Amino acid sequence: MRELCVDAIRIADDTDCYVIAEIGHNHQGDLEKCKQLFHAAHECGANAVKLQKRDNRSLFTKAMYDSAYSSENAYGDTYGAHREFLEFGEFEYKELRAYAKDLGISFFSTAFDFNSADFLEKLDMPAYKLASGDLTNIPLMKHIASFGKPMFISTGGGSMEDVRRAYEAIMPINRHLCILQCSAGYPPEYEELNLRVIETFRAEFPDIVIGFSSHDSGIAMAVAGYMLGARVVEKHFTLNRAWKGTDHAFSLERPGLQKMVRDLKRTRLAMGDGIKRQYESEKKPLQKMSKKLVAARDLEAGHVLTRADFCIKSPNDGLPPHMMDDLIGLTLAKPLKEDDNFAMDVFAQAPVG
């Protein structure tokens, strides 16, 4: 059975969707703003909030770290300075860990390198995320797998061979794995979401939970992903899509995240058990809407019924219309007035059908 537990929350085919609010660096390097994002995500019903952790000096080449960065979203003159401005250290992570615990929401992070993974493990993070860019980074995957914590792996830009390689590298070390269908565009075109890969992953990896990391701007595709078998959905989250930063424009704001969580919960309930039945709530409406068999005109006792003797009318408090063919040819034991119900005691003999 495919199953994953994060902070004692069970994720499986028969559970609600596990929703990760990806904050990334939408906090703009501001600890208090990050706490506001945590609080808002919790109020919206997300199960977890997630940041991104980089050890920038070891992650980037010196040339990339020192390269000029003049984007409208830049927080520094060089790419390294930009990234350092957005990076939280031990103080901020401990503050946020305590705050998330008080809120009752899980908090973990994407580790982009070995130093970051070790940093997070010292803080006893409950789970780890690996970004699409590390789908082929088997050494980092194995290192994180050795911690024995749940792992979420995005697969944007990868091939099935890449995904299979990652699965085969991790599973002998750590079976607490969730693979996420993902498209690495920010945001991708809808035809690039390729949601049916969720079904492909479920067939290929029947022993693990499959999810969907959704970079599109709306909320509908999360529900479609759940219907296809995704039981984890990750969505970027912000308090204001107009804020400075590369991810805000395609992130959900509070109303969007709240509606997405609501719709995912409704979807699980609405899927039901597949057994067709009538519900108590349907009886009263159907009394008015459904039909019965009544006499088309006054009929005498001893009359042999023909098709012309029947009318189909509401309300539904008599014999159903599907019985009409079984009643044609029967003899009436008592007279009927126009609009009288046909009932079993008006016939001289019982219907055959």
Side-chain angles (χ1 to χ4, degrees), residues 174-276:
N174 182 354
R175 301 188 66 83
H176 307 297
L177 176 63
C178 174
I179 291 177
L180 308 173
Q181 164 56 359
C182 179
S183 301
Y186 295 90
E189 298 295 331
Y190 281 101
E191 57 267 29
E192 294 175 353
L193 292 178
N194 205 357
L195 293 176
R196 285 183 174 157
V197 172
I198 293 167
E199 294 180 311
T200 301
F201 284 170
R202 284 177 60 86
E204 181 76 16
F205 312 116
D207 52 349
I208 64 169
V209 172
I210 302 302
F212 174 43
S213 181
S214 176
H215 296 155
D216 63 288
S217 299
I219 65 175
M221 296 305 103
V223 170
Y226 185 89
M227 290 297 297
L228 291 168
R231 289 299 177 267
V232 173
V233 166
E234 178 187 44
K235 287 289 288 188
H236 286 255
F237 181 57
T238 184
L239 296 179
N240 189 336
R241 294 178 66 169
W243 276 352
K244 177 180 175 179
T246 55
D247 293 351
H248 295 285
F250 63 88
S251 298
L252 295 182
E253 293 178 342
R254 185 193 295 257
L257 182 61
Q258 195 168 33
K259 289 176 182 178
M260 189 189 80
V261 171
R262 176 203 66 189
D263 289 350
L264 284 167
K265 289 182 180 295
R266 288 177 176 178
T267 299
R268 182 185 68 82
L269 294 173
M271 285 173 67
D273 59 11
I275 300 171
K276 184 61 181 171

Side-chain angles (χ1 to χ4, degrees), residues 65-80:
Y65 189 93
D66 293 335
S67 63
Y69 196 57
S70 58
S71 165
E72 62 182 7
N73 293 308
Y75 286 94
D77 293 336
T78 65
Y79 189 68

Side-chain angles (χ1 to χ4, degrees), residues 70-253:
S70 58
S71 165
E72 62 182 7
N73 293 308
Y75 286 94
D77 293 336
T78 65
Y79 189 68
H82 163 75
R83 293 246 61 105
E84 298 291 5
F85 182 91
L86 295 170
E87 203 63 51
F88 284 157
E90 184 175 355
F91 171 78
E92 290 86 359
Y93 265 83
K94 285 183 175 179
E95 280 278 309
L96 292 168
R97 182 183 61 181
Y99 187 68
K101 185 176 181 180
D102 288 343
L103 287 174
I105 192 168
S106 294
F107 162 46
F108 56 95
S109 189
T110 300
F112 280 80
D113 51 81
F114 288 90
N115 289 343
S116 295
D118 291 341
F119 169 89
L120 295 169
E121 184 57 15
K122 286 179 182 177
L123 295 172
D124 195 26
M125 290 285 111
Y128 289 86
K129 170 76 191 298
L130 283 104
S132 293
D134 283 309
L135 181 58
T136 60
N137 192 346
I138 299 301
L140 179 61
M141 285 184 181
K142 286 184 174 181
H143 182 65
I144 293 174
S146 71
F147 301 155
K149 304 283 184 64
M151 297 174 65
F152 300 91
I153 296 180
S154 280
T155 59
S159 66
M160 196 63 195
E161 181 182 0
D162 293 329
V163 178
R164 196 176 293 113
R165 183 192 303 112
Y167 170 88
E168 291 172 352
I170 292 169
M171 289 296 280
I173 306 169
N174 182 354
R175 301 188 66 83
H176 307 297
L177 176 63
C178 174
I179 291 177
L180 308 173
Q181 164 56 359
C182 179
S183 301
Y186 295 90
E189 298 295 331
Y190 281 101
E191 57 267 29
E192 294 175 353
L193 292 178
N194 205 357
L195 293 176
R196 285 183 174 157
V197 172
I198 293 167
E199 294 180 311
T200 301
F201 284 170
R202 284 177 60 86
E204 181 76 16
F205 312 116
D207 52 349
I208 64 169
V209 172
I210 302 302
F212 174 43
S213 181
S214 176
H215 296 155
D216 63 288
S217 299
I219 65 175
M221 296 305 103
V223 170
Y226 185 89
M227 290 297 297
L228 291 168
R231 289 299 177 267
V232 173
V233 166
E234 178 187 44
K235 287 289 288 188
H236 286 255
F237 181 57
T238 184
L239 296 179
N240 189 336
R241 294 178 66 169
W243 276 352
K244 177 180 175 179
T246 55
D247 293 351
H248 295 285
F250 63 88
S251 298
L252 295 182
E253 293 178 342

Side-chain angles (χ1 to χ4, degrees), residues 260-333:
M260 189 189 80
V261 171
R262 176 203 66 189
D263 289 350
L264 284 167
K265 289 182 180 295
R266 288 177 176 178
T267 299
R268 182 185 68 82
L269 294 173
M271 285 173 67
D273 59 11
I275 300 171
K276 184 61 181 171
R277 60 169 67 85
Q278 186 182 87
Y279 295 97
E280 193 64 34
S281 64
E282 297 177 304
K283 291 181 179 178
K284 188 174 181 180
L286 287 174
Q287 177 76 10
K288 216 188 315 186
M289 295 188 299
S290 292
K291 313 296 191 302
K292 63 181 176 181
L293 294 172
V294 299
R297 59 182 184 277
D298 292 350
L299 300 171
E300 297 179 354
H303 178 74
V304 178
L305 294 169
T306 68
R307 171 66 181 84
D309 297 324
F310 295 91
C311 271
I312 299 173
K313 295 185 179 182
S314 295
N316 174 28
D317 59 354
L319 297 182
H322 71 74
M323 290 187 66
M324 185 171 62
D325 287 347
D326 298 326
L327 305 182
I328 292 173
L330 297 185
T331 301
L332 289 178

